[in-house]
Amino acid sequence: NTEKLQSFESILSFDYPDHMTFDSYVTTDENYYTCEILRTVAFIPRIWKAISPVFIHAPTGQGKTHLLAATMNATTRKALLINTLDLETEYQHAKSAGRERELRNWMISHNMILIDDIQFACGNRGLEKFIISVMNRMPRESHGIVVSSDVEPSMLTGLDPSLFSRLMSGITIKLEIVNRKGRKEILEQFFNYTGMNLSDDVVDYLADTFTTNVRQLKAAARMVLARVLGTGKAMTVESSKAMLGFMTERISQEAAPLRRDNIMPPIEIDESEYIVVEVEEEPSRKQTGSGKAPFVIEPVKPVSASPRSEERRVGKE
């Protein structure tokens, strides 16, 4: 039995890079709330009972996988981060070999399960029922579930209603697109790490051009870096435009208006019902490098709008 469980471990779980932490994720006003929810899930397991499962959605390339990996890397509990496509493949193998129960038992042996790209499960009834079975056997008092999707819940029309209901039984959060300041910080972080200094004009051009997809932004930065290293010449805005023309053309095509007939409004959590407060708990937790105390999201009565700093101050009092 040990060998069978180890086979699942070797196939489905692997360590994400250590640099995928909360500290290395650029936090702006737009994504602050999502980051703090996941930081809470990582550091304060007792909060799982109140908010799990956590459903995060955002268009591709916004850093959802990074945040899930940061959560797994930060928690002191046994955690599993798995992509839905990988789970689908292994589920089919387990089903063919009559090992579905073993796969399920191995998954629920973890205290936290983080499932990336749940939208790929739509239409695969066998996999959907399997995920339902896993969730049914994970007590909310001691287990946590975090799920990410490239589309908002209202667009998961092909998902099994029972699975959809379970995923929506916790909280749903939209990861917002990083603003211009955040994009520039991402670029500066990347180039500083490589030891390269680009002109402010080139950095501004990249930040102003690749506005909706952080993955594309980083890809463009890597191409600029490769050109500098290959030629030994500094890049200008003009040379950057010429080199990245194929990417900007694709972005223009993707930006064409898309019809969204018969789409329900997205299901969102009302952030006014929650307040962020600092707590001192689990001093032996794994550090992310910031040295900051963990955060807890506690349900409270709606409060009048006020600056975030004031909310923290009131929360501590």
Side-chain angles (χ1 to χ4, degrees), residues 65-83:
T65 301
H66 185 138
L67 283 177
L68 264 60
T71 304
M72 182 187 70
N73 287 332
T75 186
T76 58
R77 299 306 197 265
K78 185 178 180 182
L80 170 66
L81 171 54
I82 185 171
N83 187 278

Side-chain angles (χ1 to χ4, degrees), residues 178-193:
V178 179
N179 61 21
R180 186 178 189 273
K181 179 182 177 182
R183 295 194 298 273
K184 290 190 64 174
E185 188 174 340
I186 290 172
L187 292 171
E188 291 167 0
Q189 184 184 82
F190 173 78
F191 290 120
N192 288 339
Y193 177 79

